[in-house]
Amino acid sequence: STNTGFGTGGGGGDQRNGGGAQEKACGAGPDQLEGPGPTENDPIHLKRRVGLVSGVALIVGTMIGSGIFVSPSGLLERTGSIGMSFVIWMSCGLLSLLGALSYAELGTMNTSSGAEYAYFMDAFGAPPAFLFSWASTLVLKPSQMAIICLSFGKYAVEAFVTECEPPEIVVKMVALLAMIVILYVNCYSVNLATSVQNVFTAAKLVAVLIVIAGGVYKMFDGNTQHLKHPFANTQYSVGNIATAFYTGLWAYDGWNNLNYVTEEIKNPSRNLPRSIIIGIPLVTICYALINVSYLTVMSPMEMMTSEAVAVVFGNRLLGVMAWLMPLSVTISTFGSANGTLFAAGRLCFAASREGHLLDILSYVHVRRYTPAPGLIFHSIIAGAMVLYGTIDSLIDFFSFTAWIFYGGAMVALIVMRYTKPTYPRPYKVPLIIPCVVLLISIYLIIGPIVDKPTIEYLYAALFILGGMIFYVPFVHYNYRIPFMDGVTVFLQMLLEVAPTTNMFD
Ligand code: ARG
């Protein structure tokens, strides 16, 4: 069949495309798989639908997820004082802003989707880009998914056991259940997944507003006793501060989200930097206010020991409406998990289309047009992480890996200033900014290792480099394992999926 309803494909076409290395751009994602099929007069490209408002929403909606409802306790524990944790919350916001401004230069210079993947291709060539897609498919995206679903489980269960610790196994089972539902939604239809996303984003904003309004009310009521002596008991160890940053930065993760969809932004050289400059400070302000709100109803000690701060907050403040809090947090986390799996499917799909991952992962369901194999693959890894990990350990593991690549993107920017000096750069960031972000990311990577060398960091680093073992034979020399084709055909029939390349190329 030729007209299967696939809307858009590779992003090449009319784009000015970085080094031209990835003409078959990585933006051909699951969310473009519906709509009128490509015709000869209408070359295959992504539609530019994201304006300033949706740009800001994409950033804010991804950033606000589980972190602000879960991380405050961990951050306080690692810093020892509310003053220091506040400083870290704000520094994380600033760091995200500086990082995102640097990404704005990269994203307006190379307007193909796929963020780091595209920039690494331009600056360093295929092997580092491969390592990025390798690590993000196998580690980054699944661990994001696992952390958010665990937070979902925590809040969903906490709602029924008020203010005491829920049994871990129950939390994990609920997390897995949520993951299965989200997998089903995303395999069922792209439209269903995006609708879920919109409804749930709205609900999450309600949760944020409730907490802020409650805090303001309490503040005027004179509940400021916990805000005195903010720096008492501060811990100044290098590693503690770095891991406290990990906890805080998790809540801000997603600041580079718009860079994954640059091909769909209207007038990206204007709207990408603007969305960043509006979106990230907005989130930073919300987080500052929410932190203060929490402290108007509980002491730092209570905050540190509480498993789900927002539930405690609701119980103390909302009376008969207390159920509103855990409900809105479960909704917020469910929405984040849905968006994260959605993006993960897209990334997996793109990288395997480049020949960087197993072919089967780029196949799409023959009737539903959803990238089911990639989604199932991600969910299996994420499920294992839910079973064997805890929120805190997964956050450290995730942040360590993520900041290696964020730092790498800064190097890419700096390198390209010298190797591609004449490239048009519609938005040019002062060079000092990526340099500062690079130095901080080096600190964030080295700090925890020096302070407390746990074996997980070594695993993560080895794992990333281990990707080369696969790159050389399977990508560089394009070696095919003899029985693999049989496996692919079997899975194809089992899952009812087919390759899409003939539609796109
Ligand atoms: N910041 C979000 C949270 O607090 C997590 C975002 C995960 N990252 C992503 N790119 N989806 O839950």
Side-chain angles (χ1 to χ4, degrees):
S1 91
T2 46
N3 191 1
T4 53
F6 286 91
T8 48
D14 57 348
Q15 324 261 354
R16 179 179 49 77
N17 190 347
Q22 64 295 340
E23 282 296 41
K24 220 177 14 160
C26 359
D31 56 340
Q32 283 88 41
L33 296 177
E34 285 178 357
T39 62
E40 266 170 47
N41 303 338
D42 179 19
I44 300 166
H45 60 77
L46 302 174
K47 299 273 178 286
R48 295 193 180 275
R49 283 170 308 187
V50 179
L52 183 62
V53 174
S54 7
V56 173
L58 259 169
I59 292 181
V60 173
T62 316
M63 288 175 75
I64 302 179
S66 60
I68 188 61
F69 306 113
V70 183
S71 304
S73 331
L75 221 149
L76 194 56
E77 203 177 310
R78 285 171 169 177
T79 52
S81 73
I82 54 164
M84 194 61 189
S85 53
F86 197 78
V87 169
I88 294 200
W89 275 106
M90 293 303 98
S91 316
C92 290
L94 184 64
L95 180 59
S96 312
L97 181 63
L98 298 183
L101 288 175
S102 311
Y103 268 61
E105 170 170 330
L106 290 164
T108 49
M109 189 177 156
N110 176 347
T111 55
S112 53
S113 293
E116 291 88 352
Y117 185 80
Y119 315 144
F120 288 179
M121 273 290 209
D122 272 3
F124 318 123
F130 167 80
L131 288 186
F132 171 74
S133 54
W134 155 267
S136 45
T137 324
L138 290 166
V139 181
L140 292 177
K141 287 289 161 192
S143 56
Q144 282 175 348
M145 185 72 188
I147 300 167
I148 305 174
C149 286
L150 279 170
S151 315
F152 171 91
K154 199 167 179 168
Y155 271 89
V157 175
E158 189 96 17
F160 299 98
V161 293
T162 50
E163 299 208 18
C164 74
E165 209 160 307
E168 197 178 304
I169 182 74
V170 180
V171 172
K172 289 190 183 228
M173 287 303 131
V174 174
L176 284 181
L177 197 68
M179 202 176 271
I180 292 168
V181 174
I182 292 165
L183 176 63
Y184 181 77
V185 165
N186 279 271
C187 287
Y188 186 77
S189 111
V190 177
N191 278 343
L192 180 62
T194 49
S195 317
V196 165
Q197 193 58 22
N198 294 346
V199 172
F200 284 59
T201 300
K204 123 178 27 181
L205 293 179
V206 173
V208 168
L209 287 180
I210 296 177
V211 178
I212 294 178
V216 169
Y217 167 77
K218 275 288 180 185
M219 194 87 118
F220 278 109
D221 223 23
N223 288 288
T224 50
Q225 67 277 25
H226 303 311
L227 301 173
K228 295 180 184 133
H229 317 296
F231 286 94
N233 305 321
T234 304
Q235 292 176 12
Y236 291 101
S237 105
V238 185
N240 264 348
I241 303 273
T243 48
F245 260 103
Y246 280 180
T247 312
L249 285 169
W250 163 253
Y252 286 96
D253 197 68
W255 49 263
N256 58 350
N257 208 36
L258 207 48
N259 283 62
Y260 289 94
V261 298
T262 341
E263 281 164 34
E264 284 136 286
I265 307 178
K266 293 180 206 154
N267 192 357
S269 45
R270 210 189 91 213
N271 283 332
L272 179 64
R274 283 197 188 176
S275 308
I276 287 170
I277 290 166
I278 299 173
I280 297 173
L282 198 69
V283 173
T284 312
I285 293 169
C286 284
Y287 285 5
L289 294 176
I290 293 176
N291 269 296
V292 175
S293 292
Y294 287 149
L295 287 167
T296 58
V297 301
M298 63 192 103
S299 70
M301 201 55 212
E302 286 173 304
M303 193 156 149
M304 233 183 286
T305 50
S306 121
E307 275 288 306
V309 264
V311 171
V312 180
F313 182 86
N315 288 344
R316 306 242 168 120
L317 196 71
L318 299 177
V320 286
M321 301 292 278
W323 51 270
L324 212 60
M325 222 44 244
L327 180 72
S328 28
V329 178
T330 45
I331 289 176
S332 163
T333 44
F334 189 88
S336 292
N338 180 63
T340 301
L341 186 66
F342 191 91
R346 159 192 224 134
L347 193 81
C348 195
F349 179 80
S352 41
R353 271 171 48 84
E354 295 290 315
H356 277 181
L357 292 171
L358 293 176
D359 291 342
I360 183 81
L361 297 180
S362 69
Y363 291 2
V364 177
H365 192 277
V366 291
R367 285 183 307 277
R368 307 198 170 281
Y369 311 131
T370 52
L375 296 173
I376 295 172
F377 178 74
H378 269 109
S379 304
I380 293 173
I381 303 179
M385 289 178 168
V386 164
L387 287 180
Y388 297 107
T390 62
I391 293 187
D392 286 328
S393 67
L394 283 171
I395 287 184
D396 290 350
F397 187 65
F398 163 81
S399 303
F400 176 78
T401 319
W403 279 88
I404 292 178
F405 291 109
Y406 297 154
M410 298 304 127
V411 178
L413 191 160
I414 298 165
V415 165
M416 284 193 285
R417 283 281 178 100
Y418 294 97
T419 55
K420 301 180 194 297
T422 55
Y423 249 67
R425 289 178 171 79
Y427 173 82
K428 203 166 178 179
V429 74
L431 199 56
I432 180 79
I433 291 186
C435 291
V436 168
V437 178
L438 177 61
L439 287 180
I440 299 176
S441 44
I442 293 174
Y443 165 71
L444 286 176
I445 298 162
I446 310 249
I449 302 185
V450 172
D451 193 62
K452 212 190 293 155
T454 54
I455 198 78
E456 280 86 357
Y457 297 126
L458 186 68
Y459 286 154
L462 284 180
F463 181 82
I464 298 175
L465 293 175
M468 285 318 280
I469 297 175
F470 290 86
Y471 179 79
V472 175
F474 297 114
V475 182
H476 191 75
Y477 289 108
N478 202 10
Y479 174 75
R480 324 260 333 153
I481 306 173
F483 61 85
M484 205 52 211
D485 288 344
V487 174
T488 305
V489 170
F490 172 73
L491 287 175
Q492 236 183 303
M493 291 193 290
L494 184 73
L495 300 171
E496 297 189 86
V497 293
T500 59
T501 32
N502 55 341
M503 314 307 162
F504 292 118
D505 295 338

